[in-house]
Amino acid sequence: MNHNVPLNISPKELNKILEDHSSEKPFIVDVREDNEIAIASFSFSVLHLPLSKYANWSAKIGELLPKDQPIVVVCHAGVRSLNFGIWLLEQGINKSVWNLVGGIDAWSTDVDQSVPRY
């Protein structure tokens, strides 16, 4: 098993965890751009770290993310978030990093159809 690759989580699995009041909630990081967030956003709290603004937040990433809470990374389709998750694991910030498979696009089709697709 490669420890430098985030684990996969489906939109339905993430939704189940978020709705379960007894389970530990993951910390969610959205790496999409501002214009993408304006089109389609999640209904729950996320930390928005647009990849295009990497220079603005990368040096303080250890301060921005929890060390003891699972992290789920999201983007539009799951590719940018996968790459960001790999980078996070390489930084050694957190050992529990998950990638939302299919991103917000899959979330909008599998969980919350009120989220616009783009």
Side-chain angles (χ1 to χ4, degrees), residues 18-102:
L18 293 172
E19 288 183 342
D20 182 355
H21 298 290
S22 65
S23 70
E24 178 185 17
K25 302 296 180 246
F27 188 87
I28 302 172
V29 179
D30 192 329
V31 299
R32 294 178 299 143
E33 300 304 317
D34 294 335
N35 63 325
E36 293 177 282
I37 299 286
I39 296 169
S41 60
F42 288 102
S43 62
F44 44 83
S45 178
V46 302
L47 174 63
H48 181 213
L49 296 176
L51 292 180
S52 66
K53 296 180 182 169
Y54 172 85
N56 296 345
W57 52 257
S58 61
K60 57 186 175 197
I61 193 71
E63 302 165 22
L64 296 172
L65 300 178
K67 293 173 182 33
D68 58 353
Q69 186 179 3
I71 295 172
V72 175
V73 290
V74 300
C75 67
H76 179 246
V79 177
R80 287 175 288 173
S81 56
L82 175 63
N83 290 321
F84 177 74
I86 291 168
W87 179 82
L88 272 183
L89 289 167
E90 289 171 351
Q91 304 312 301
I93 308 261
N94 191 311
K95 301 258 187 253
S96 182
V97 178
W98 297 76
N99 181 48
L100 182 63
V101 176

Coordinates of all heavy atoms in Angstrom, one line a residue, residues 18-102:
L18 N -21.0 12.8 7.5 CA -21.4 14.2 7.9 C -22.8 14.2 8.6 O -23.1 15.0 9.5 CB -21.5 15.1 6.7 CG -20.1 15.4 6.1 CD1 -20.2 16.1 4.8 CD2 -19.2 16.1 7.0
E19 N -23.7 13.3 8.2 CA -25.0 13.2 8.8 C -25.1 12.5 10.1 O -26.0 12.6 10.9 CB -26.0 12.6 7.8 CG -26.4 13.5 6.7 CD -27.4 12.9 5.8 OE1 -27.6 11.7 5.8 OE2 -28.0 13.7 5.0
D20 N -24.1 11.6 10.4 CA -24.0 10.8 11.6 C -23.5 11.7 12.8 O -22.3 12.1 12.8 CB -23.1 9.6 11.4 CG -23.0 8.7 12.6 OD1 -23.6 9.1 13.7 OD2 -22.4 7.7 12.5
H21 N -24.4 12.1 13.7 CA -24.0 13.0 14.8 C -23.1 12.3 15.8 O -22.5 13.0 16.6 CB -25.3 13.5 15.4 CG -26.1 14.3 14.5 ND1 -25.7 15.5 14.0 CD2 -27.3 14.0 13.9 CE1 -26.6 16.0 13.2 NE2 -27.6 15.1 13.1
S22 N -22.9 11.0 15.7 CA -22.0 10.3 16.7 C -20.6 10.1 16.2 O -19.7 9.8 17.0 CB -22.6 9.0 17.1 OG -22.7 8.1 16.0
S23 N -20.4 10.3 14.9 CA -19.1 10.1 14.4 C -18.2 11.4 14.3 O -18.7 12.5 14.3 CB -19.1 9.5 13.0 OG -19.6 10.4 12.0
E24 N -16.9 11.2 14.3 CA -16.0 12.3 14.2 C -16.1 12.9 12.8 O -16.1 12.1 11.8 CB -14.5 11.8 14.5 CG -13.5 12.9 14.3 CD -12.1 12.5 14.4 OE1 -11.8 11.3 14.3 OE2 -11.2 13.3 14.6
K25 N -16.3 14.2 12.7 CA -16.4 14.8 11.4 C -15.0 15.1 10.8 O -14.1 15.5 11.5 CB -17.2 16.1 11.6 CG -18.5 16.0 12.2 CD -19.5 15.2 11.3 CE -20.8 15.1 11.9 NZ -21.2 13.7 12.3
P26 N -14.9 14.9 9.5 CA -13.7 15.2 8.9 C -13.6 16.7 8.6 O -14.6 17.4 8.6 CB -13.8 14.5 7.5 CG -15.2 14.4 7.3 CD -15.9 14.3 8.6
F27 N -12.4 17.2 8.5 CA -12.1 18.6 8.1 C -12.0 18.6 6.6 O -11.3 17.8 6.0 CB -10.7 19.0 8.7 CG -10.4 20.4 8.6 CD1 -10.9 21.3 9.5 CD2 -9.7 20.9 7.5 CE1 -10.6 22.7 9.4 CE2 -9.4 22.3 7.4 CZ -9.8 23.2 8.4
I28 N -12.8 19.5 6.0 CA -12.9 19.4 4.5 C -12.2 20.6 3.9 O -12.4 21.8 4.3 CB -14.4 19.4 4.1 CG1 -15.1 18.1 4.7 CG2 -14.5 19.4 2.6 CD1 -16.5 18.0 4.6
V29 N -11.4 20.3 2.9 CA -10.6 21.4 2.2 C -11.1 21.3 0.7 O -11.0 20.3 0.1 CB -9.1 21.1 2.3 CG1 -8.3 22.2 1.5 CG2 -8.6 21.1 3.7
D30 N -11.5 22.5 0.2 CA -12.0 22.6 -1.1 C -10.9 23.4 -1.9 O -10.6 24.5 -1.5 CB -13.3 23.4 -1.2 CG -14.0 23.3 -2.5 OD1 -13.3 23.3 -3.6 OD2 -15.2 23.4 -2.6
V31 N -10.3 22.8 -2.9 CA -9.2 23.4 -3.6 C -9.6 24.1 -5.0 O -8.8 24.5 -5.7 CB -8.0 22.4 -3.9 CG1 -7.5 21.9 -2.6 CG2 -8.5 21.3 -4.8
R32 N -10.9 24.2 -5.2 CA -11.4 24.8 -6.4 C -11.2 26.3 -6.4 O -10.9 26.9 -5.3 CB -12.9 24.5 -6.6 CG -13.2 23.0 -6.8 CD -14.7 22.7 -6.9 NE -15.4 23.1 -5.7 CZ -16.6 23.6 -5.7 NH1 -17.2 23.9 -6.8 NH2 -17.1 23.9 -4.5
E33 N -11.4 26.9 -7.5 CA -11.2 28.4 -7.7 C -12.4 29.1 -7.2 O -13.5 28.6 -7.1 CB -10.8 28.7 -9.1 CG -9.6 28.0 -9.6 CD -8.3 28.3 -8.8 OE1 -8.2 29.5 -8.4 OE2 -7.6 27.4 -8.5
D34 N -12.2 30.4 -7.0 CA -13.3 31.3 -6.5 C -14.6 31.2 -7.4 O -15.7 31.1 -6.9 CB -12.9 32.7 -6.3 CG -11.8 32.9 -5.3 OD1 -11.8 32.1 -4.3 OD2 -11.1 33.9 -5.4
N35 N -14.3 31.3 -8.7 CA -15.5 31.2 -9.6 C -16.2 29.9 -9.5 O -17.4 29.8 -9.7 CB -15.0 31.6 -11.0 CG -14.1 30.5 -11.6 OD1 -13.2 30.0 -10.9 ND2 -14.2 30.3 -12.9
E36 N -15.5 28.8 -9.2 CA -16.2 27.5 -9.1 C -17.0 27.4 -7.8 O -18.1 26.9 -7.8 CB -15.2 26.4 -9.1 CG -14.4 26.2 -10.4 CD -13.4 25.2 -10.3 OE1 -12.3 25.5 -9.8 OE2 -13.6 24.0 -10.8
I37 N -16.5 28.0 -6.8 CA -17.2 28.0 -5.5 C -18.5 28.9 -5.7 O -19.6 28.5 -5.1 CB -16.4 28.7 -4.4 CG1 -15.1 27.8 -4.1 CG2 -17.2 28.8 -3.1 CD1 -15.3 26.5 -3.4
A38 N -18.4 29.9 -6.5 CA -19.6 30.8 -6.7 C -20.7 30.0 -7.4 O -21.9 30.3 -7.2 CB -19.2 32.0 -7.5
I39 N -20.3 29.1 -8.3 CA -21.3 28.3 -9.0 C -21.9 27.2 -8.2 O -23.1 27.1 -8.1 CB -20.6 27.7 -10.3 CG1 -20.2 28.8 -11.3 CG2 -21.6 26.7 -11.0 CD1 -19.3 28.2 -12.4
A40 N -21.1 26.5 -7.5 CA -21.5 25.3 -6.8 C -20.7 25.2 -5.5 O -19.5 24.9 -5.5 CB -21.3 24.0 -7.6
S41 N -21.4 25.3 -4.3 CA -20.7 25.2 -3.1 C -21.4 24.1 -2.2 O -22.5 23.7 -2.5 CB -20.7 26.5 -2.3 OG -22.1 26.9 -2.1
F42 N -20.6 23.6 -1.2 CA -21.2 22.7 -0.3 C -22.0 23.4 0.8 O -21.8 24.5 1.0 CB -20.0 21.9 0.4 CG -19.3 21.0 -0.5 CD1 -18.1 21.3 -1.1 CD2 -19.8 19.7 -0.8 CE1 -17.4 20.4 -1.9 CE2 -19.2 18.8 -1.6 CZ -18.0 19.2 -2.2
S43 N -22.9 22.6 1.4 CA -23.8 23.2 2.4 C -23.2 23.1 3.8 O -23.8 23.5 4.7 CB -25.1 22.5 2.4 OG -25.0 21.2 2.6
F44 N -21.9 22.6 3.9 CA -21.3 22.5 5.1 C -20.0 23.3 5.1 O -19.5 23.7 4.1 CB -21.0 21.0 5.5 CG -20.5 20.2 4.3 CD1 -19.2 20.2 4.0 CD2 -21.4 19.5 3.5 CE1 -18.7 19.5 2.9 CE2 -20.9 18.8 2.4 CZ -19.6 18.8 2.1
S45 N -19.4 23.4 6.3 CA -18.2 24.2 6.4 C -17.0 23.6 5.7 O -16.7 22.4 5.9 CB -17.9 24.4 7.9 OG -16.7 25.1 8.1
V46 N -16.2 24.4 5.0 CA -15.0 23.9 4.3 C -14.0 25.0 4.4 O -14.3 26.2 4.6 CB -15.2 23.6 2.8 CG1 -16.3 22.5 2.6 CG2 -15.5 24.8 2.0
L47 N -12.7 24.6 4.3 CA -11.6 25.5 4.2 C -11.3 25.7 2.7 O -11.0 24.6 2.1 CB -10.4 25.0 5.0 CG -9.1 25.9 4.8 CD1 -9.3 27.3 5.3 CD2 -7.9 25.2 5.4
H48 N -11.4 26.9 2.2 CA -11.2 27.1 0.8 C -9.7 27.5 0.5 O -9.3 28.5 1.0 CB -12.2 28.2 0.3 CG -12.0 28.5 -1.2 ND1 -12.2 29.7 -1.7 CD2 -11.8 27.7 -2.2 CE1 -12.1 29.7 -3.0 NE2 -11.8 28.5 -3.3
L49 N -9.0 26.6 -0.2 CA -7.6 26.9 -0.5 C -7.4 26.7 -2.0 O -7.0 25.6 -2.5 CB -6.7 25.9 0.2 CG -6.6 26.0 1.7 CD1 -5.7 24.9 2.3 CD2 -6.1 27.3 2.2
P50 N -7.8 27.7 -2.8 CA -7.7 27.6 -4.2 C -6.2 27.3 -4.7 O -5.3 28.0 -4.2 CB -8.2 28.9 -4.8 CG -8.4 29.8 -3.6 CD -8.2 29.0 -2.4
L51 N -6.1 26.4 -5.5 CA -4.7 26.0 -5.9 C -4.0 27.1 -6.6 O -2.7 27.2 -6.5 CB -4.7 24.7 -6.8 CG -5.2 23.4 -6.1 CD1 -5.2 22.3 -7.1 CD2 -4.3 23.1 -4.9
S52 N -4.7 28.0 -7.3 CA -4.0 29.1 -8.0 C -3.4 30.1 -7.0 O -2.6 30.9 -7.4 CB -5.0 29.8 -8.9 OG -6.0 30.5 -8.1
K53 N -3.8 30.0 -5.7 CA -3.3 30.9 -4.7 C -2.3 30.2 -3.8 O -2.1 30.6 -2.6 CB -4.4 31.6 -4.0 CG -5.3 32.5 -4.9 CD -6.4 33.1 -4.1 CE -7.3 33.9 -5.1 NZ -8.5 34.4 -4.5
Y54 N -1.7 29.1 -4.3 CA -0.8 28.3 -3.5 C 0.2 29.2 -2.8 O 0.6 28.9 -1.6 CB -0.1 27.3 -4.5 CG 1.0 26.5 -3.9 CD1 0.7 25.4 -3.2 CD2 2.3 26.9 -4.0 CE1 1.8 24.6 -2.6 CE2 3.4 26.2 -3.5 CZ 3.1 25.0 -2.8 OH 4.1 24.3 -2.3
A55 N 0.8 30.2 -3.4 CA 1.8 31.0 -2.8 C 1.3 31.7 -1.6 O 2.1 32.1 -0.7 CB 2.4 32.0 -3.9
N56 N 0.0 32.0 -1.5 CA -0.5 32.7 -0.4 C -0.7 31.9 0.8 O -0.7 32.4 1.9 CB -1.9 33.3 -0.8 CG -1.8 34.3 -1.9 OD1 -0.8 34.8 -2.2 ND2 -3.0 34.6 -2.5
W57 N -0.9 30.6 0.7 CA -1.2 29.8 1.8 C -0.3 28.6 2.1 O -0.3 28.0 3.2 CB -2.7 29.2 1.8 CG -3.1 28.5 0.5 CD1 -3.8 29.1 -0.5 CD2 -2.7 27.2 0.1 NE1 -4.0 28.2 -1.5 CE2 -3.3 27.0 -1.2 CE3 -2.0 26.2 0.6 CZ2 -3.2 25.8 -1.9 CZ3 -1.9 25.0 -0.1 CH2 -2.5 24.8 -1.3
S58 N 0.6 28.2 1.1 CA 1.4 27.0 1.3 C 2.3 27.1 2.5 O 2.5 26.0 3.2 CB 2.1 26.7 0.0 OG 3.0 27.8 -0.3
A59 N 2.9 28.2 2.7 CA 3.9 28.3 3.8 C 3.3 28.1 5.2 O 3.9 27.6 6.1 CB 4.7 29.6 3.8
K60 N 2.0 28.4 5.3 CA 1.3 28.2 6.6 C 0.3 27.1 6.7 O -0.5 27.0 7.5 CB 0.6 29.5 7.0 CG -0.4 30.0 6.0 CD -0.9 31.4 6.4 CE -1.8 31.9 5.2 NZ -2.1 33.3 5.3
I61 N 0.5 26.1 5.8 CA -0.4 25.0 5.7 C -0.5 24.2 7.0 O -1.6 23.8 7.4 CB -0.1 24.0 4.5 CG1 -1.3 23.1 4.2 CG2 1.2 23.3 4.7 CD1 -2.5 23.7 3.6
G62 N 0.6 24.1 7.7 CA 0.6 23.4 9.0 C -0.3 24.0 10.0 O -0.8 23.4 10.9
E63 N -0.4 25.3 9.9 CA -1.2 26.1 10.9 C -2.7 26.1 10.5 O -3.6 26.2 11.3 CB -0.8 27.5 10.9 CG 0.7 27.7 11.3 CD 1.2 29.1 11.0 OE1 0.3 30.1 10.9 OE2 2.4 29.3 10.9
L64 N -3.0 25.8 9.2 CA -4.4 25.9 8.7 C -5.1 24.6 8.9 O -6.4 24.6 8.9 CB -4.3 26.3 7.2 CG -3.8 27.6 6.8 CD1 -3.6 27.8 5.3 CD2 -4.7 28.7 7.4
L65 N -4.4 23.5 8.9 CA -5.1 22.2 9.0 C -4.9 21.5 10.3 O -3.8 21.6 10.9 CB -4.5 21.3 7.8 CG -4.7 21.8 6.4 CD1 -4.0 20.9 5.4 CD2 -6.2 22.0 6.1
P66 N -5.9 20.7 10.7 CA -5.7 20.0 12.0 C -4.8 18.8 11.8 O -4.7 18.2 10.7 CB -7.2 19.5 12.2 CG -7.8 19.3 10.9 CD -7.1 20.5 10.1
K67 N -4.1 18.4 12.9 CA -3.2 17.3 12.8 C -3.9 16.0 13.3 O -3.4 14.9 13.0 CB -2.0 17.6 13.7 CG -1.1 18.8 13.1 CD 0.0 19.2 14.0 CE 0.8 20.3 13.5 NZ 0.2 21.3 12.7
D68 N -5.0 16.1 14.0 CA -5.6 15.0 14.6 C -7.0 14.7 14.1 O -7.8 13.9 14.7 CB -5.6 15.1 16.1 CG -6.3 16.4 16.6 OD1 -6.7 17.2 15.7 OD2 -6.5 16.5 17.8
Q69 N -7.4 15.3 13.0 CA -8.8 15.1 12.5 C -8.6 14.7 11.0 O -7.8 15.2 10.3 CB -9.5 16.5 12.6 CG -10.9 16.5 12.2 CD -11.5 17.9 12.3 OE1 -10.9 18.9 12.6 NE2 -12.8 18.0 12.0
P70 N -9.4 13.7 10.6 CA -9.3 13.3 9.2 C -9.6 14.5 8.3 O -10.4 15.3 8.6 CB -10.4 12.2 9.0 CG -10.7 11.8 10.4 CD -10.4 13.0 11.3
I71 N -8.9 14.5 7.1 CA -9.0 15.6 6.1 C -9.6 15.0 4.9 O -9.1 14.0 4.4 CB -7.7 16.3 5.8 CG1 -7.2 17.0 7.1 CG2 -7.8 17.3 4.7 CD1 -5.8 17.5 7.0
V72 N -10.6 15.6 4.3 CA -11.2 15.2 3.0 C -10.9 16.4 2.1 O -11.3 17.5 2.4 CB -12.7 14.9 3.1 CG1 -13.3 14.7 1.7 CG2 -13.0 13.8 4.0
V73 N -10.3 16.1 1.0 CA -10.0 17.1 0.0 C -11.0 17.0 -1.2 O -11.3 15.9 -1.6 CB -8.6 17.1 -0.5 CG1 -7.7 17.6 0.6 CG2 -8.1 15.8 -0.9
V74 N -11.5 18.1 -1.7 CA -12.4 18.1 -2.8 C -12.1 19.1 -3.9 O -11.4 20.1 -3.6 CB -13.9 18.4 -2.3 CG1 -14.3 17.4 -1.2 CG2 -14.0 19.8 -1.7
C75 N -12.6 18.8 -5.1 CA -12.5 19.8 -6.2 C -13.7 19.5 -7.1 O -14.7 19.0 -6.6 CB -11.1 19.6 -6.9 SG -10.9 18.1 -7.8
H76 N -13.6 19.8 -8.4 CA -14.7 19.6 -9.3 C -14.9 18.2 -9.6 O -16.0 17.7 -9.5 CB -14.5 20.4 -10.6 CG -15.6 20.2 -11.5 ND1 -15.4 19.6 -12.7 CD2 -16.9 20.6 -11.4 CE1 -16.6 19.6 -13.4 NE2 -17.5 20.2 -12.6
A77 N -13.9 17.5 -10.0 CA -14.0 16.1 -10.4 C -13.2 15.1 -9.7 O -13.3 13.9 -9.9 CB -13.7 16.0 -11.9
G78 N -12.3 15.6 -8.8 CA -11.5 14.6 -8.0 C -10.0 14.5 -8.4 O -9.3 13.8 -7.7
V79 N -9.6 15.2 -9.4 CA -8.2 15.1 -9.9 C -7.3 16.1 -9.2 O -6.3 15.7 -8.6 CB -8.1 15.3 -11.4 CG1 -6.7 15.3 -11.9 CG2 -8.9 14.2 -12.1
R80 N -7.7 17.4 -9.1 CA -6.9 18.4 -8.4 C -6.8 18.0 -6.9 O -5.8 18.2 -6.3 CB -7.5 19.8 -8.6 CG -7.3 20.4 -9.9 CD -8.0 21.7 -10.1 NE -9.4 21.5 -10.2 CZ -10.3 22.4 -10.2 NH1 -9.9 23.7 -10.1 NH2 -11.6 22.2 -10.3
S81 N -7.9 17.6 -6.4 CA -7.9 17.2 -4.9 C -7.1 16.0 -4.7 O -6.4 15.9 -3.6 CB -9.4 17.0 -4.4 OG -10.0 16.0 -5.2
L82 N -7.0 15.1 -5.6 CA -6.1 13.9 -5.4 C -4.7 14.4 -5.4 O -3.9 14.0 -4.5 CB -6.3 12.9 -6.6 CG -5.3 11.7 -6.6 CD1 -5.5 10.9 -5.3 CD2 -5.5 10.9 -7.9
N83 N -4.3 15.3 -6.3 CA -2.9 15.8 -6.3 C -2.6 16.6 -5.1 O -1.5 16.5 -4.5 CB -2.7 16.6 -7.6 CG -2.6 15.8 -8.8 OD1 -2.1 14.7 -8.8 ND2 -3.2 16.2 -9.9
F84 N -3.6 17.4 -4.6 CA -3.4 18.1 -3.4 C -3.3 17.2 -2.2 O -2.4 17.4 -1.3 CB -4.6 19.1 -3.2 CG -4.5 19.9 -1.9 CD1 -3.6 20.9 -1.8 CD2 -5.3 19.5 -0.8 CE1 -3.6 21.6 -0.6 CE2 -5.3 20.3 0.4 CZ -4.4 21.3 0.5
G85 N -4.1 16.1 -2.2 CA -4.0 15.1 -1.1 C -2.6 14.5 -1.1 O -2.0 14.3 0.0
I86 N -2.1 14.2 -2.2 CA -0.7 13.6 -2.3 C 0.3 14.6 -1.7 O 1.2 14.2 -0.9 CB -0.4 13.2 -3.8 CG1 -1.2 12.0 -4.2 CG2 1.1 12.9 -3.9 CD1 -1.2 11.7 -5.7
W87 N 0.2 15.8 -2.1 CA 1.1 16.9 -1.6 C 1.0 17.0 -0.1 O 2.0 17.1 0.6 CB 0.8 18.2 -2.3 CG 1.6 19.3 -1.8 CD1 2.9 19.6 -2.2 CD2 1.3 20.3 -0.8 NE1 3.3 20.7 -1.5 CE2 2.4 21.2 -0.7 CE3 0.1 20.5 -0.1 CZ2 2.4 22.3 0.2 CZ3 0.1 21.6 0.8 CH2 1.2 22.5 1.0
L88 N -0.3 17.0 0.4 CA -0.5 17.0 1.9 C 0.2 15.9 2.6 O 0.9 16.1 3.6 CB -2.0 17.0 2.2 CG -2.8 18.2 2.3 CD1 -4.2 17.9 2.7 CD2 -2.1 19.3 3.2
L89 N 0.1 14.7 2.1 CA 0.7 13.5 2.7 C 2.2 13.7 2.7 O 2.9 13.3 3.6 CB 0.3 12.3 2.0 CG -1.2 11.9 2.3 CD1 -1.6 10.8 1.4 CD2 -1.3 11.4 3.8
E90 N 2.8 14.2 1.6 CA 4.2 14.4 1.5 C 4.7 15.5 2.5 O 5.8 15.4 2.9 CB 4.6 14.9 0.0 CG 4.4 13.8 -1.0 CD 4.6 14.3 -2.4 OE1 4.6 15.5 -2.6 OE2 4.7 13.4 -3.3
Q91 N 3.8 16.4 2.9 CA 4.2 17.4 3.9 C 4.2 16.8 5.3 O 4.7 17.5 6.2 CB 3.3 18.6 3.8 CG 3.1 19.3 2.5 CD 4.5 19.6 1.8 OE1 5.3 20.3 2.3 NE2 4.7 19.0 0.6
G92 N 3.6 15.7 5.4 CA 3.5 15.1 6.8 C 2.6 15.8 7.8 O 2.7 15.6 9.0
I93 N 1.7 16.6 7.2 CA 0.8 17.4 8.1 C -0.2 16.5 8.8 O -0.5 16.6 10.0 CB 0.0 18.4 7.2 CG1 0.9 19.2 6.4 CG2 -1.0 19.2 8.1 CD1 1.3 20.5 6.7
N94 N -0.7 15.5 8.1 CA -1.8 14.6 8.7 C -1.7 13.3 8.0 O -1.5 13.2 6.8 CB -3.2 15.3 8.4 CG -4.3 14.6 9.1 OD1 -4.4 13.4 9.1 ND2 -5.1 15.4 9.8
K95 N -1.8 12.2 8.7 CA -1.7 10.9 8.1 C -3.1 10.4 7.5 O -3.1 9.4 6.8 CB -1.3 9.9 9.2 CG 0.1 10.3 9.8 CD 1.1 9.4 9.3 CE 2.4 9.7 10.0 NZ 3.4 10.4 9.2
S96 N -4.2 11.1 7.9 CA -5.5 10.6 7.4 C -6.1 11.6 6.4 O -6.7 12.6 6.8 CB -6.4 10.5 8.6 OG -7.7 10.0 8.2
V97 N -5.8 11.4 5.1 CA -6.2 12.2 4.1 C -7.1 11.4 3.1 O -6.7 10.3 2.6 CB -5.0 12.9 3.3 CG1 -5.5 13.8 2.1 CG2 -4.2 13.7 4.3
W98 N -8.2 11.9 2.8 CA -9.2 11.3 1.9 C -9.5 12.2 0.7 O -9.5 13.4 0.8 CB -10.5 11.0 2.6 CG -10.4 10.1 3.8 CD1 -9.8 10.3 5.0 CD2 -10.7 8.7 3.8 NE1 -9.9 9.2 5.8 CE2 -10.4 8.2 5.1 CE3 -11.3 7.8 2.9 CZ2 -10.6 6.9 5.4 CZ3 -11.5 6.5 3.2 CH2 -11.2 6.1 4.5
N99 N -9.7 11.6 -0.5 CA -10.0 12.3 -1.7 C -11.5 12.0 -2.0 O -11.9 10.8 -2.1 CB -9.1 11.9 -2.8 CG -9.5 12.7 -4.1 OD1 -9.6 13.9 -4.1 ND2 -9.6 12.0 -5.2
L100 N -12.3 13.1 -2.2 CA -13.7 12.9 -2.6 C -13.7 12.5 -4.1 O -13.5 13.3 -5.0 CB -14.5 14.1 -2.4 CG -16.0 14.0 -2.7 CD1 -16.7 13.0 -1.8 CD2 -16.7 15.4 -2.6
V101 N -14.0 11.2 -4.3 CA -14.0 10.7 -5.7 C -15.2 11.3 -6.5 O -16.3 11.4 -6.1 CB -14.2 9.1 -5.7 CG1 -14.3 8.6 -7.1 CG2 -13.1 8.5 -4.9
G102 N -14.8 11.9 -7.6 CA -15.8 12.6 -8.5 C -16.1 14.0 -8.1 O -16.8 14.7 -8.8

